[in-house]
Amino acid sequence: RMNGKVNGRIYVGDSPSPVEFSNNDLHSYVVTNDGRAYIAISSIPSSVGPSLQPLPALGEAIGWAFALEQPDYQNGFSII
């Protein structure tokens, strides 16, 4: 399990001004046997949901890093 905070700005659609995040809780956990990861951010406006769709790629990187190693294969943590 990993917990942290999210800070930053995200632009929604064609809006010239970003939606700002400040100390939003980030929760994630990894299923090492499968290399799967789950991630959630608390208290975000529903309008930014579509703009956050690329976020799972970050969670999947965590899954890759800590996946259960198989014979002749290394997880990302071992590689880096």
Side-chain angles (χ1 to χ4, degrees), residues 10-19 47 51:
I10 188 164
Y11 289 89
V12 178
D14 294 332
S15 176
S17 58
V19 175
S47 64
S51 298

Side-chain angles (χ1 to χ4, degrees), residues 21-77:
F21 292 92
S22 180
N23 286 328
N24 291 71
D25 292 324
L26 171 81
H27 305 283
S28 69
Y29 70 94
V30 176
V31 181
T32 56
N33 292 343
D34 301 351
R36 290 182 290 132
Y38 298 91
I39 189 165
I41 300 174
S42 64
S43 302
I44 60 169
S46 61
S47 64
V48 301
S51 298
L52 292 176
Q53 287 180 341
L55 188 61
L58 297 174
E60 290 171 8
I62 296 168
W64 169 76
F66 297 105
L68 181 66
E69 292 183 334
Q70 299 294 322
D72 299 322
Y73 293 94
Q74 293 179 316
N75 64 19
F77 184 78

